[in-house]
Amino acid sequence: MNIISTLAYVSNANKVSVIDTGTNTVIDTVVADAYPTGIAITPNGNFVYVINNVTNDVTVINTCDNTIIANVRVGEFPIAVAITPNGKFAYVANTFSNTVSVINTITLEIVATIRVGNFPEGVEISCDINNATSGCIESSNLSCNCKICCTVKVAGVVKAKKLVQIEVPVLRNCESKQCCPYEGIPVAPGKSYPLPIEPSEVSKIKFAARTNPGMTSRFTAFLNVIPYTFTTVTEELKPFEINLPGNPYPIENISLKNLGKSTIYVYKLTTE
């Protein structure tokens, strides 16, 4: 059973019952695959993930209208499911496959299969919030940059119990860039972005960037400590391309510096 506000989702037989906890009545029934067992709900309450251990798949239910939007094939005899705190991934323990399937909750595709000990029968995701190097001021603040260590614990039989440790993005929008290589890397006012050392000579710099909501800032390319061009960055994530004049410059003679008053977040920077 799992609960969303005043609704409870309960797996039974070949269906999932939706119960109004205020009136203790069944208000809807969703027909799932054979023998649904474990249930997990995304943190935003929009989707329910139901384990079907006979058909070896996961039924995804849209809680808006209690319709099935997908059946995702996983390993043999899935028995438990857990969802990361930011709702981006679902981890499914497959008892007879000795694996954990990782589902991308946006694309509803399997993005990884992790081999663990014999007969995994439970999944728990825990995050050590106390060891975060910085904290979120508020959940809507997209500028926060926390480093939080998370683990996915897979429990199996005593003789084959195994702990799988994986860094996953957590805590709403406050994510570790070590966990999320495609998230923006913050460059504070007055600081420079560390350019890659390869290639050793550069004629073009490409990246995407944004600032904090409601702010603008200036990204400046320096050639031999002399400012070459100024790029205005806003809260809207946009692509930028800087073409350097003349012949390629040695990478050690180039720098990108934030000369504005807001942190700039850089995404997928490449040099040519």
Side-chain angles (χ1 to χ4, degrees), residues 91-147:
Y91 285 73
V92 180
N94 307 306
T95 303
F96 293 164
S97 295
N98 301 330
T99 61
V100 172
S101 299
V102 184
I103 302 173
N104 183 315
T105 59
I106 303 299
T107 64
L108 297 178
E109 296 176 343
I110 300 295
V111 295
T113 300
I114 306 165
R115 182 158 295 280
V116 294
N118 293 337
F119 306 113
E121 58 184 21
V123 179
E124 175 188 353
I125 298 176
S126 59
C127 299
D128 188 0
I129 305 301
N130 293 327
N131 289 333
T133 56
S134 60
C136 287
I137 297 174
E138 55 186 26
S139 62
S140 61
N141 182 3
L142 298 182
S143 68
C144 58
N145 180 41
C146 295
K147 181 181 179 182

Side-chain angles (χ1 to χ4, degrees), residues 16-17 22 25 39 53 87 94-95 97-98 125 147 157 224:
V16 174
S17 299
T25 57
I39 289 181
N53 51 30
N94 307 306
T95 303
S97 295
N98 301 330
I125 298 176
K147 181 181 179 182
V157 296
N224 297 319

Side-chain angles (χ1 to χ4, degrees), residues 211-212 214-218 232-235 260-264:
T211 62
N212 289 328
M215 302 290 289
T216 61
S217 199
R218 292 192 305 169
T232 300
V233 181
T234 68
E235 64 179 320
K261 296 182 178 180
S262 171
T263 297
I264 295 175

